[in-house]
């Protein structure tokens, strides 16, 4: 982990509509998109509990074709929930100084990477922004947190490997977690 002041890094952000000069605080009280996915997501389709859709299918009722993709997304998001709860538990127990993945800003080191990620995204309301940072960053390297449908304990083991990364060379950085004050200094691209 590293303390930073006036460091410029880059973020892809959806549905936020930032303007140059906006300042955003990232701390344990910040509600981010990751936080919302973990704590506010409902596992329902048309007010029907996800598991009940499968129980109905077992009883020879059909799953409506238009619901198949949303069901897959919900299953994927549930795997994210299990992973992120395990990762946060391990962070709180062993790596308290690291920024929480649930309350931080996710950043890229280079403008080029941010613009590539912007172009890859299918989101409709998206911005690529440059931000000036004052706070702390954690550089994550080659060990990333894959979603593999594993158990809570499997994800806890992955979390130890993830959080124990130290002194990651810039060439190996895959994502950066930031906690502190971020100021939008440039809108690189938006749609």
């Amino acid at each position: 982990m590293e303390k930073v002041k006036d460091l410029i890094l880059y973020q892809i952000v959806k549905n936020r509509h930032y303007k140059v000069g906006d300042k955003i605080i990232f701390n344990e009280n910040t509600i981010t998109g990751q936080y919302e996915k973990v704590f506010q997501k409902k596992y329902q389709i048309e007010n029907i509990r996800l598991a009940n859709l499968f129980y109905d299918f077992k009883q020879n009722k059909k799953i409506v074709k238009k619901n198949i993709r949303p069901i897959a997304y919900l299953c994927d998001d549930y795997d994210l929930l299990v992973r992120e709860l395990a990762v946060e538990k391990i962070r709180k127990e062993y790596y308290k100084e690291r920024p929480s993945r649930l309350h931080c800003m996710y950043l890229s080191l280079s403008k080029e990477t941010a613009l590539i990620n912007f172009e890859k995204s299918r989101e409709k309301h998206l911005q690529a922004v440059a931000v000036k940072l004052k706070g702390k960053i954690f550089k994550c390297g080659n060990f990333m947190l894959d979603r593999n449908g594993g158990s809570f304990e499997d994800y806890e083991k992955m979390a130890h490997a993830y959080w124990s990364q130290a002194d990651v060379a810039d060439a190996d950085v895959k994502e950066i977690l930031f906690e502190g004050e971020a100021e939008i200094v440039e809108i690189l691209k938006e749609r």
Side-chain angles (χ1 to χ4, degrees), residues 11-181:
Q11 184 190 37
I12 303 301
V13 60
K14 63 180 181 177
N15 300 320
R16 298 285 187 218
H17 312 291
Y18 287 140
K19 295 178 189 77
V20 171
D22 284 354
K23 292 184 179 179
I24 310 101
I25 303 294
F26 290 88
N27 61 30
E28 69 277 354
N29 298 313
T30 305
I31 304 298
T32 63
Q34 191 79 333
Y35 179 92
E36 290 171 345
K37 280 183 184 177
V38 170
F39 291 109
Q40 297 174 352
K41 181 88 171 187
K42 292 187 179 191
Y43 296 90
Q44 302 172 340
I45 294 178
E46 298 172 359
N47 293 322
I48 300 170
R49 187 175 85 116
L50 183 59
N52 288 352
L53 292 169
F54 291 109
Y55 292 137
D56 287 348
F57 180 69
K58 185 179 176 188
Q59 296 171 357
N60 295 322
K61 293 181 183 176
K62 293 182 179 180
I63 293 179
V64 179
K65 187 175 183 177
K66 71 176 177 132
N67 288 340
I68 292 173
R69 188 174 296 263
I71 288 169
Y73 287 142
L74 287 175
C75 291
D76 194 45
D77 285 345
Y78 189 77
D79 197 27
L80 175 115
L81 167 106
V82 174
R83 180 192 76 187
E84 292 301 327
L85 290 176
V87 170
E88 185 66 2
K89 177 181 179 273
I90 295 303
R91 184 195 69 81
K92 284 181 175 181
E93 288 178 15
Y94 301 97
Y95 306 93
K96 290 179 186 169
E97 75 285 355
R98 306 268 197 248
S100 169
R101 290 175 53 84
L102 300 173
H103 301 286
C104 73
M105 181 180 245
Y106 290 77
L107 298 158
S108 299
L109 274 179
S110 75
K111 185 185 295 189
E112 294 76 20
T113 300
L115 290 172
I116 288 167
N117 291 335
F118 179 91
E119 294 303 329
K120 284 182 183 176
S121 178
R122 294 184 177 143
E123 294 292 333
K124 291 181 182 176
H125 304 287
L126 203 63
Q127 289 179 307
V129 298
V131 292
K132 182 168 64 172
L133 307 172
K134 179 182 177 186
K136 61 184 179 179
I137 61 173
F138 174 63
K139 295 178 181 178
C140 307
N142 290 324
F143 190 85
M144 295 299 292
L145 295 165
D146 294 328
R147 287 185 247 176
N148 61 17
S151 70
F152 193 80
E153 287 180 349
D154 292 339
Y155 282 128
E156 285 181 317
K157 290 174 190 169
M158 287 175 62
H160 276 292
Y162 177 83
W163 289 121
S164 65
Q165 297 178 84
D167 301 321
V168 175
D170 285 356
D172 296 327
V173 171
K174 302 296 182 214
E175 69 181 1
I176 297 171
L177 309 181
F178 169 74
E179 185 177 276
E181 181 182 275

